């Protein structure tokens, strides 16, 4: 006979490290028991037992039940009570608990051990008949529904009928006799539905309840939750068998929940609520208003002192904020749960910084403890607290739905995707309101500020797509009622019409009528964040630069800690009001001379732009990318011109305008491209339009030289885009180096400068050794590199199939948000290796959108890039993510 | 003192292998001298001397002149004459000759050694005063122009004046006295221009002429020629010093050129022309009509017999057809040059096959000797010989220009690129006629059947672009005169108006008015080619398959030797007349059910297509690619619909049609893509349009099963296009495998089949190991792979910058014609390695256009692909190229 596998652990046999085997709740109870905290006696049936239960076709594995009975014996000894003892009955709960928290998804059964016999003992012990019958009523109801899987409705309707018959308002109006009668009726329901009576054997109750907890691992909502949160399905749940303690045994009893620090602000103070003479569910039900935990100090000073000391111990023990549940039974404190406390972004930062100061954790731990994306919330506009409060007071609250995708959005309601798209592209802020969304709505979602749906949960189409797009979304907001015909929705006795403003908070699920002011975050006030990031800077190896086209953006980036400009897009400057007409003429120029004259007119504007940048970035490098988009982007769209020409031809009223527009149409059509992304743009335009990039480089060097003469330290880096073959870079660089030298000679001053290129075409990556011969720096343009490597045009794909691919699991992630390490990443690795093989000191960075994505930043760190460059608002995130990547590497290498 | 470098080789000291050092002409003379053929005494000053001459700043290297004088002594001894001897003068020529033939590009000086003194000896020896003065006149003129670099015009005007004064028609009317006077005048020109007299020292003449030959290596036309033909600039030319022999010493003298076999037909017969009592230039000048070489047999039977025997020896010696020059001086035959004879494609094949049969060369050599692209000419339409002859007789010949890009083109004349583009896209065959072309004309060239220019040579824009596009071009046709205003051109007293038909033969440079019938080649008549290819098949390892969409193409491919269909594009079938309306409805369908019904209507058509293919390809594999283009390609173009809607809105006359067209416009706009190449197409469409690819696979398997039941051996291979991520292939394949199995069950027969994918997205190449898990075969779509790897849209790029890149040397080649081994090739190599690491028996082929390009085929062989698939007409080329790749490998491995 082989040794029997151990399926059951007394609390004292486990600890906090055994989450896999005992689940999170069980490991917490075990740890608390071990460090001597008052935990009701109990034991854990392991997750392995659950898995074995499934493997055996929903049968307990051999030995498990025997071990359970033995453990129960130990509990009986410790509590001095006995399971099924009509005099001194032991009551237990069976609670689910898996490795990862899945709040409310699985089942729990309370008050097991009560029978027609043992209830007498309970009445005797508590002297409270009503309490005892209420407990029995709850057991039978819960057992019937959860364990025996009878529809909840069958029990609820009994309760409702009795209340209606008696004219009661709330459950607490029920008398002992009512409860007795109801319990009897519940038993009948069970007998009717199942053909057998409610089990009067406590062991049978426990056996069935344990199986029910195991089965609850695979109920639909639990499976869906795991799907969504990417939790594996093969973990199983433990079953925690805990001696019942009751907080509703009078005013020397009570129950409560607390955080060891304030989870909203991060302040070091106990934060929570309690109710005397109450059970856990009373706190939740909201019938009685719970009191703040601080009041317990006055009501029960000794208990409070004990509780505060336990909290302090738990925090130091776990080295993190804890979220605990407790019950006081007749003047004795019992701890029922401890787990890491969830907190707001602001609190997370403050707690981490404070804990370092308190000597609880190291700086490294503090830096590693903050999810970089959390910082985003501190830096982006949110609803102004007061404005939101005012909106509540003004009665502008409409409804609360599921907080499906965070962020604050304000816009006018639109009830179909076409309207949302139309208004959105016209620059009008829109909230798309739909009963639910489907792939046909994506074009509208793309143009909306936020999305509100009536139906569907956290994994609904709307929620998934909105999160994918990073747009605020309130989903499954069943409290609203939409009339698509009338283009209105109503909620909270208000009606919202198409075009009316609404505001939604995707982080809380709240929806308001009208506009709520949003506030810009104040960086200078974020002292703790600045401290944390200064620690991050000590650990990171990657530089953090920013993408900025204008001095104001550069200024903000610098405040946020950017160490250079990784991408200044010069074409944005071409679109500005006073310049656009010159640019249009330049593009349409009939001959070189005319074009040259127009370029000369643009030169001073460009120089001015660059002067501002150099000034702000005094002492730091500034990478300026030469013009990138195809020239026809500066002209009116083909369809627009065609439409006007057709109309003018048709009316025949304005022959002069017609002639003009016909000329324009000819030019636009001759320049038109089937696939402009892969057409005459980037360095190709520089090569084919003489004078264009020369003008830009002239402007850069004039600006740099003049600022240098004013005493500013300038480091211009000229970036040539869209190189596919080394010769493109070679001819452009030769031409432009000459301009740079000429200008420096004219200005009589030398400045430090570099020439380099984007790596954004797969071929450039593959031939990086060749290209590095003519480039002093590389910058990954991972947007285009992803488009070409994946063969996907982002403009076309996201709405038409890419997000649906993610939803259907065909792609793990949107590769435009999270860098595709498997494909694009290979090309990046090759680029770094080959580029540095030619030029060991090659400066390599990334300036695509991925430069601000934590996972992508980690990969850039692993590749050994010099820096990441991202939008100014993401600079703090990048600093943190870069530090975490470095620290993870240190840990891996240990 | 170190040993002096050897700068000068007597003919006897060299041989045929020394082309690098002695140049092609020198090596040929040396080889002939060594095997005992009658070659006039002479020697070669090496190419190294030429290079040293340049290195020393245009000075002879030390020792060279001394060695030259010593060699001259030997020649004097052998000839029994002496340089500068007034009694018995030795005359020599100095001829250029580099490693690679550069016909007419460099300089030659004849009759060196004639002076006022030695001419007396020449008169004495020949008894022909006029002959001697004519020789002297030629020397002074040639020396003045070539050696002393005086404008040719200065001498020609003297000649013209004398002829005019005397009323002469041609040079031969000049008397001895005239020639004497002219020679004196030429000397005066020299003295006037240079300030020194024509050198009377023969050694000085030789010294200066040798330097002039060296310098001619770097004259502009020679440099341009090398640029164009990619001949390195650092080879230098040799100077061949050869004793003069004269064919114009009476009717026992003569001169001629001959091929050892007929270079047009390949027949084994001497082929050439000669003139008695004539010099080489008389044959060229066309004043007297040369006689066919066969007539020499009657006129000089002994000389002919000697010559025929020499030709036979040379051919066997060189193991190839020779192109020789000879002179007969007073009954003695002298061989002046031998080189490999150029020949037509037809002759090349016949000669190679014949020589194998004659035991001169091996089959391997025969296969390696034919340039695969030559075969193309045998398989493509050409002008019908009789029709062309008739056109000549009818006086329809217009002009002859430079044969800049081969092929026969017929079309209407257009005088600007816009018209050419407009007519061309409308399906009207056009020849673009321009004074010259520039990049602004490329859009017209793209749509033209052929190009004709008045100016510009073999390296002009028109010529380069036309060759790049594979279109016939006659360039530099100065005999035509273009009037762009009137849109006409005239030539040979005829006027061609815009819209008139012309025909041009880019292989000969001829231009005709009207249409000339073109003939399809007759494969069954090409017996020698078939023999050659059957040998090629013995050597090649690569399979050769064909791209064919229709049974008729498959039939032709099979005749040409295709071993399978590598690509059947199913979308072509969607465009056919009776199907298009169903396809349009299907694309616009409002719901799944409607779409499903329309797909059901398409099914029988598709099945029929495939039945035909399977029948033709009985026993061979047929790869059918599922639908690839975006669905909106089946609808009317956006601009067309927009124009109509705008017009209908403007007139307001037909509200019903307007409503229809507005609906269409909405659909077209909603489906419109910025970059359709990277949009919703390929497997993405299969995934997003339920039922579409299922219908296709159903049709394939119904066809296969039904044909199999008729006893035909079918091997369908289903190809899923545009896979970028393995999961795309996984979900499509799972779905389609089910259809395949269902159909086979329904039809009650199993057929052999495969599922596989295109590799045409860089990411697919990079993750080929993953993709191979779900693919039984790969097929490289190198068109798209090149587009994405290079980041270049072929439709946009070729006209707008790609061809200009090639022209400017930024790219070595158009990567859409010749596979880019450096970039795209890397991805292919990775694909093969990783794909086979997962699935060692993975079948890998190529079906992009490169599959028919010899250089790309060589690369495919090196990569170890299973087959190349190309258009039916290129199958023979591919068979040959594949064999050559295999044979080269054998040689490399030796």
């Amino acid at each position: 006979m082989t040794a029997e596998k151990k399926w059951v652990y007394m609390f004292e046999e486990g600890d906090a490290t055994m989450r896999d085997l005992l689940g999170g709740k069980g490991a917490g109870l075990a740890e608390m028991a071990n460090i001597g905290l008052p935990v009701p006696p109990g034991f854990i049936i392991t997750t392995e037992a659950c898995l074995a239960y499934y493997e055996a076709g929903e049968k307990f594995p051999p030995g498990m039940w025997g071990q359970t009975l033995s453990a129960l014996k130990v509990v009986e000894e410790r509590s001095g009570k006995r399971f099924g003892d009509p005099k001194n009955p032991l009551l237990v709960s069976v609670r689910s608990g898996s490795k990862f928290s899945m709040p409310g998804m699985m089942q729990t059964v309370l008050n097991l051990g009560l029978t027609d016999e043992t209830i007498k003992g309970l009445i005797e012990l508590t002297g409270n008949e009503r309490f005892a019958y209420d407990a029995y009523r709850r057991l039978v109801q819960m057992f019937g529904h959860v364990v025996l899987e009878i529809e909840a409705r069958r029990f609820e309707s009994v309760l409702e009928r009795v209340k209606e018959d008696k004219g009661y308002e709330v459950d607490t109006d029920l008398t002992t006799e009512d409860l007795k009668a109801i319990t009897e009726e519940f038993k009948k329901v069970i007998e009717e539905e199942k053909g057998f009576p409610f089990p009067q054997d406590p062991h049978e109750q426990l056996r069935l309840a344990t199986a029910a907890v195991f089965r609850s691992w695979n109920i639909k909502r639990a499976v869906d939750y795991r799907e969504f949160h990417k939790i594996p399905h093969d973990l199983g749940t433990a079953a925690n068998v805990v001696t019942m303690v009751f907080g509703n045994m009078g005013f020397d009893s009570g129950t409560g929940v607390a955080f060891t620090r304030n989870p909203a602000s991060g302040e070091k103070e106990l934060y929570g609520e309690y109710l005397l003479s109450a059970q856990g569910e009373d706190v939740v039900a909201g019938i009685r208003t719970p009191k703040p935990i601080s009041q317990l100090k006055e009501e029960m000073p000794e208990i409070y002192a004990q509780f505060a000391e336990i909290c302090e111990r738990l925090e130091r023990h776990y080295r993190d904020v804890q979220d605990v549940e407790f019950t006081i039974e007749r003047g004795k404190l019992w701890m029922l749960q401890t787990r890491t406390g969830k907190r707001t972004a602001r609190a997370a930062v403050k707690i981490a910084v404070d804990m370092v100061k308190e000597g609880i954790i190291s700086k490294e731990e503090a830096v590693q403890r903050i999810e970089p994306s959390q910082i985003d919330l501190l830096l982006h506009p949110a609803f102004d607290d007061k404005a939101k409060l005012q909106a509540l007071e003004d009665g502008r609250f409409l409804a609360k739905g599921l907080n499906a995708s965070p962020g604050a959005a304000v816009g006018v309601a639109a009830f179909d995707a076409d309207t949302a798209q139309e208004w959105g592209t016209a620059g009008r802020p829109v909230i798309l309101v739909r009963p639910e969304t489907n792939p046909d709505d994506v074009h509208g979602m793309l143009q909306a500020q936020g999305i509100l749906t009536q139906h569907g949960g956290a994994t609904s189409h709307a929620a998934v797509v909105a999160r994918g797009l990073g747009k605020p979304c309130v989903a499954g907001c069943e409290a609203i009622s939409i009339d698509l015909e009338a283009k209105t929705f109503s909620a909270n006795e208000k009606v919202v019409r198409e075009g009316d403003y609404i505001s939604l908070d995707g982080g809380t699920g709240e929806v308001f009528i009208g506009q709520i002011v949003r506030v810009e975050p104040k960086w200078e006030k974020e002292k703790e964040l600045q401290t944390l990031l200064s620690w991050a800077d000590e650990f990171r190896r990657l530089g953090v630069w920013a993408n900025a086209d204008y001095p104001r953006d550069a200024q903000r980036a610098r405040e946020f800690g950017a160490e250079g400009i990784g991408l200044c897009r010069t074409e944005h400057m071409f679109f500005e009001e006073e310049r656009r007409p010159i640019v249009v003429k330049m593009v349409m120029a009939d001959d070189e001379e005319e074009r040259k004259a127009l370029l000369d007119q643009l030169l001073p504007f460009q120089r001015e732009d660059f002067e501002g940048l150099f000034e702000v970035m005094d002492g730091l490098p500034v990478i300026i990318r030469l013009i990138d988009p195809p020239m026809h982007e500066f002209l009116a769209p083909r369809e627009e011109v065609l439409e006007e020409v057709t109309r003018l031809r048709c009316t025949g009223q304005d022959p002069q305008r017609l002639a003009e527009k016909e000329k324009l149409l000819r030019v636009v059509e001759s320049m038109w491209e089937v696939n402009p992304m892969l057409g005459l743009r980037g360095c190709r335009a520089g090569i084919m339009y003489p004078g264009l990039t020369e003008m830009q480089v002239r402007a850069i060097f004039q600006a740099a030289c003049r600022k240098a003469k004013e005493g500013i330290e300038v480091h211009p880096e000229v970036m040539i885009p869209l190189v596919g073959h080394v010769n493109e870079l070679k001819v452009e660089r030769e031409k432009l180096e000459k301009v740079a030298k000429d200008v420096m000679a004219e200005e009589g001053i030398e400045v430090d400068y570099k020439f380099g290129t984007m790596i954004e075409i797969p071929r450039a990556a593959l031939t990086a050794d060749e290209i590095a011969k003519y480039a002093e720096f590389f910058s990954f343009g991972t947007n285009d590199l992803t488009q070409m490597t994946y063969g996907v045009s982002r403009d076309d794909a996201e709405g038409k199939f890419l997000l649906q691919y993610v939803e259907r699991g065909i792609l793990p992630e949107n590769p435009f948000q999270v860098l595709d390490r498997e494909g694009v990443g290979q090309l990046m690795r090759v680029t770094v290796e080959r580029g540095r093989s030619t030029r060991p000191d090659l400066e390599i960075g990334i300036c695509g959108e991925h430069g601000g994505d934590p996972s992508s930043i980690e990969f850039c760190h692993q590749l050994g890039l010099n820096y990441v460059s991202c939008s100014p608002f993401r600079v703090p995130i990048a600093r943190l993510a870069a530090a975490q990547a470095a620290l993870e590497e240190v840990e891996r290498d240990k």
Side-chain angles (χ1 to χ4, degrees), chain A:
Chain A
M1 213 181 102
T2 54
E4 200 172 67
K5 190 174 174 95
K6 185 167 176 63
W7 303 110
V8 176
Y9 286 74
M10 298 309 298
F11 289 161
E12 292 71 20
E13 295 178 299
D15 65 50
T17 65
M18 297 165 75
R19 294 171 61 95
D20 283 350
L21 189 65
L22 307 182
K25 185 193 287 280
L29 286 164
E31 189 74 16
M32 288 197 291
N34 273 311
I35 61 175
L37 301 188
V39 174
F43 57 88
I44 308 145
I45 310 175
T46 66
T47 56
E48 285 176 353
C50 172
L51 298 177
Y53 170 80
Y54 278 109
E55 237 165 68
E58 310 211 343
K59 285 202 178 73
F60 291 148
M64 186 201 99
W65 188 242
Q67 292 179 23
T68 303
L69 293 179
S70 307
L72 195 62
K73 279 259 172 304
V74 177
V75 172
E76 286 174 339
E77 276 160 28
R78 295 212 177 136
S79 62
K81 298 175 177 182
R82 208 161 50 77
F83 213 42
D85 185 339
K87 292 266 161 51
N88 192 15
L90 172 69
L91 303 188
V92 299
S93 61
V94 183
R95 294 161 191 266
S96 56
S98 67
K99 178 176 183 184
F100 300 108
S101 173
M102 294 166 57
M105 293 297 124
M106 292 186 296
Q107 303 289 21
T108 281
V109 189
L110 304 175
N111 301 343
L112 290 163
L114 272 180
T115 64
D116 292 351
E117 282 303 303
T118 59
I119 191 166
K120 294 170 192 158
L122 187 62
I123 294 167
E124 186 89 354
L125 283 170
T126 59
N128 188 337
E129 199 177 7
R130 190 187 177 285
F131 159 77
Y133 273 104
D134 194 37
Y136 196 28
R137 186 270 302 176
R138 285 174 202 248
L139 169 64
V140 179
Q141 182 174 4
M142 214 178 250
F143 198 92
H145 174 54
V146 170
V147 180
L148 302 177
E149 295 172 358
I150 298 166
E151 238 187 304
R153 195 71 220 131
R154 293 283 279 115
F155 298 101
E156 283 157 16
S157 64
V158 172
L159 253 178
E160 276 165 27
R161 181 168 42 73
V162 171
K163 278 156 71 181
E164 208 173 271
D165 287 353
K166 305 259 172 164
Y168 298 155
E169 293 269 322
V170 291
D171 287 6
T172 43
D173 294 340
L174 294 164
T175 65
T176 307
E177 288 313 309
D178 292 334
L179 291 166
K180 268 193 202 175
I182 288 167
T183 309
E184 287 310 307
E185 286 215 47
F186 282 178
K187 288 188 194 158
K188 272 186 206 137
V189 169
I190 289 174
E191 186 129 22
E192 271 169 38
E193 287 283 332
K194 309 302 293 185
F196 55 81
F198 170 76
Q200 291 294 332
D201 173 1
H203 291 96
E204 181 65 5
Q205 289 175 4
L206 179 61
R207 201 177 58 78
L208 291 172
T210 304
V213 164
F214 283 170
R215 279 200 309 277
S216 74
W217 173 253
N218 273 343
I219 56 180
K220 189 173 178 311
R221 66 178 182 221
V223 173
D224 289 350
Y225 184 92
R226 290 198 298 272
E227 282 289 344
F228 179 69
H229 287 93
K230 295 180 184 161
I231 297 174
H233 295 297
D234 59 355
L235 299 175
T237 181
N240 299 284
V241 179
V242 194
T243 303
M244 286 299 298
V245 288
F246 294 96
N248 55 348
M249 285 198 172
F251 285 90
D252 58 352
S253 302
T255 188
V257 295
F259 285 80
T260 56
R261 302 199 185 205
N262 186 318
S265 69
E267 288 298 325
K268 187 163 166 39
E269 61 186 12
L270 286 181
Y271 179 94
E273 300 169 328
Y274 74 100
L275 267 176
L276 291 188
S277 188
Q279 273 192 305
E281 50 190 272
D282 298 330
V283 180
V284 178
I287 302 161
R288 287 163 58 194
T289 307
K291 301 173 184 174
I293 197 83
S294 54
Q295 235 170 287
L296 189 64
K297 199 172 183 173
E298 276 128 61
E299 290 200 298
M300 292 182 165
E302 275 172 46
I303 291 285
Y304 181 84
Q306 186 193 355
F307 180 66
E309 194 261 322
I310 285 173
C311 283
E312 180 83 24
R313 271 186 72 188
L314 275 173
E315 212 185 67
R316 295 223 162 231
H317 183 74
Y318 278 103
R319 311 174 73 245
D320 203 353
V321 172
Q322 295 298 298
D323 167 4
V324 300
E325 287 178 28
F326 64 94
T327 283
I328 306 160
E329 190 186 66
R330 294 180 167 170
K332 171 149 178 60
L333 177 67
W334 296 101
M335 298 302 294
L336 298 182
Q337 174 152 312
T338 188
R339 59 184 174 190
T340 304
K342 292 202 192 309
R343 64 210 80 174
T344 64
R346 170 148 296 112
V349 172
K350 182 169 170 46
I351 290 166
V353 171
D354 285 351
M355 284 192 164
V356 172
K357 292 183 178 161
E358 294 164 25
I360 299 175
I361 60 173
S362 67
K363 285 181 189 175
E364 285 85 344
E365 281 172 298
V367 164
Q368 282 176 293
R369 199 164 271 186
I370 310 299
E371 184 66 39
S373 61
Q374 285 186 301
I375 296 186
D376 209 15
L377 299 173
L378 300 185
L379 298 175
H380 266 105
F383 286 133
D384 176 68
D385 281 347
K386 280 189 198 139
K388 192 164 151 185
L389 220 61
Q390 191 61 50
L392 279 166
E393 277 178 24
D394 294 350
R396 284 165 52 202
F397 175 78
L398 284 174
K400 187 166 178 180
L402 198 67
N403 53 344
S405 177
V410 178
V412 296
F415 292 87
D416 61 276
D418 290 344
T419 305
Q421 183 186 37
E422 189 186 322
W423 292 354
T425 47
R428 194 169 173 194
V430 180
I431 307 283
L432 178 62
V433 184
R434 296 287 299 165
E436 56 207 341
T437 64
N438 65 49
D440 292 342
D441 296 316
V442 174
H443 62 289
M445 301 172 77
L446 284 165
Q447 296 300 333
Q449 298 294 314
I451 295 119
L452 169 61
T453 65
Q454 187 176 357
H455 311 297
T459 57
S460 66
H461 179 266
V464 173
V465 174
R467 278 193 299 268
L469 294 172
K471 288 183 193 277
C473 173
V474 174
C477 189
E478 302 285 353
I480 67 170
S481 158
I482 301 180
D483 181 342
L484 286 180
E485 278 297 303
K487 297 191 175 181
T488 62
F489 78 86
S490 54
N492 199 13
E493 294 172 5
K494 291 168 197 65
V495 175
V496 175
R497 286 178 187 75
E498 186 179 61
D500 287 352
Y501 266 101
I502 57 175
S503 300
L504 54 88
D505 188 333
T508 63
E510 293 161 306
V511 186
F512 298 86
I513 195 163
Q515 303 182 56
I516 298 181
V517 175
R518 282 172 295 181
V519 284
E520 292 286 328
K522 291 224 169 59
W523 173 253
E524 57 279 9
K525 283 184 155 180
E526 301 288 350
K527 294 296 176 208
E528 273 102 358
L529 179 56
Q530 293 191 30
T531 303
L532 185 84
L533 292 177
S534 73
W535 296 339
D537 292 346
E538 294 171 21
F539 306 130
R540 70 185 160 89
R541 188 173 69 210
L542 268 177
V544 176
W545 299 15
N547 299 349
D549 302 343
Y550 302 100
R552 63 174 181 276
D553 299 333
Q555 183 64 49
R556 171 173 287 147
R558 210 171 172 166
E559 282 164 15
F560 284 166
E563 299 155 309
I565 298 299
L567 175 64
C568 163
R569 281 166 289 239
T570 51
E571 55 269 18
H572 288 190
M573 301 166 174
F574 277 40
F575 278 110
E576 293 198 2
E577 212 178 333
E578 53 191 342
R579 308 170 185 189
R580 180 76 180 274
I582 311 177
V583 174
V584 169
K585 275 193 215 156
M586 186 273 291
V587 172
M588 292 184 63
D590 285 326
D591 57 55
E592 294 305 327
E593 211 162 312
E594 193 186 340
R595 174 170 300 134
K596 172 98 190 44
L598 290 157
L599 286 169
D600 286 346
Q601 285 183 46
L602 286 171
L603 177 68
F605 290 115
Q606 286 256 291
R607 186 176 56 227
E608 228 172 88
D609 298 327
F610 300 139
E611 282 178 349
L613 271 185
F614 288 133
E615 209 164 287
V616 171
M617 297 307 289
D618 187 0
L620 297 177
V622 176
I623 297 187
I624 297 167
R625 180 177 70 185
L626 302 181
I627 193 155
D628 187 50
M631 290 298 119
H632 52 74
E633 268 198 17
F634 298 107
L635 305 182
R638 181 179 177 186
E639 287 71 26
E640 188 184 305
V641 185
L642 176 64
E643 206 174 338
E644 179 155 16
V645 164
T646 307
R647 209 179 310 109
L648 287 167
R649 277 182 186 150
C650 189
T651 64
Q653 281 163 352
D654 193 343
Q656 197 188 328
R657 189 173 168 80
L658 174 60
E660 257 172 51
K661 293 289 165 179
E662 278 180 333
K663 187 191 166 190
L664 177 61
L665 184 60
R666 272 197 304 278
V667 174
V668 169
E669 286 188 341
S670 77
M671 297 184 74
W672 187 79
E673 294 180 309
V674 188
N675 299 291
M677 215 254 294
L678 307 180
L680 181 51
R681 49 172 283 241
C683 69
R684 300 164 187 170
I687 291 170
M688 298 304 293
Y689 286 84
L692 180 61
T693 48
E694 285 97 320
M695 180 278 284
Q696 294 202 295
V697 170
R698 182 162 284 276
I700 292 168
F701 279 85
Q702 283 184 352
C705 290
R706 291 174 195 187
K707 285 289 139 187
K709 283 190 270 189
E710 291 174 16
I712 285 168
E713 189 188 332
V714 297
H715 299 283
E717 303 192 10
V718 179
M719 182 150 75
I720 294 169
L722 214 74
V723 166
H725 191 286
V726 59
N727 286 350
E728 293 176 304
L729 180 60
K730 184 166 177 271
V731 299
E732 271 294 271
R733 180 171 171 176
E734 274 165 11
K735 183 172 86 181
L736 300 176
E737 278 274 12
K738 192 182 166 311
V739 175
K741 297 220 159 70
D742 287 352
V743 174
M744 290 191 293
E746 283 158 25
E747 299 285 335
I749 188 167
E750 294 273 318
V751 297
D752 169 53
Y753 69 95
K754 284 182 181 161
F755 272 91
T757 184
M758 301 277 287
I759 299 291
E760 54 188 336
I761 290 183
R763 198 182 183 285
L766 293 165
T767 60
D769 44 352
E770 287 294 316
I771 288 177
K773 288 182 190 161
Y774 299 94
E776 288 153 314
F777 66 89
F778 281 174
S779 178
F780 285 110
T782 47
N783 296 356
D784 272 4
L785 191 60
T786 301
Q787 293 197 94
M788 295 181 208
T789 307
Y790 241 112
V792 157
S793 163
R794 187 175 188 179
D795 287 336
D796 302 307
E798 276 190 341
K800 289 203 168 74
F801 62 89
L802 205 55
L803 298 177
Q804 290 89 325
Y805 268 26
V806 175
E807 204 180 326
R808 288 170 61 179
I810 296 175
L811 293 185
E813 250 131 4
N814 179 346
F816 294 105
Q817 293 196 329
V818 178
L819 193 78
D820 161 42
R821 298 188 190 191
E822 205 183 339
V824 178
Q826 272 194 55
L827 289 178
M828 292 175 71
R829 193 177 296 281
V830 156
T831 303
V832 173
E833 285 167 8
R834 298 192 186 165
R836 295 233 170 99
S837 76
T838 296
R839 193 187 285 267
D841 64 346
L842 187 69
E843 172 187 290
I844 311 182
I846 176 175
C847 65
E849 265 176 71
H850 299 99
D853 166 64
S855 151
S856 310
I857 291 169
E858 183 195 27
F859 186 64
C860 290
H861 171 90
Q862 290 169 2
L863 289 184
L865 300 202
N866 297 85
Y867 67 87
V868 296
S869 185
C870 54
S871 76
F873 274 116
R874 297 194 77 83
V875 165
I877 298 170
R879 287 165 69 190
L880 184 59
Q884 292 185 351
L887 291 169
E888 266 158 45
E889 189 184 61
V890 170
E891 279 183 16
R892 246 199 328 276
D893 292 350
K894 264 178 192 167

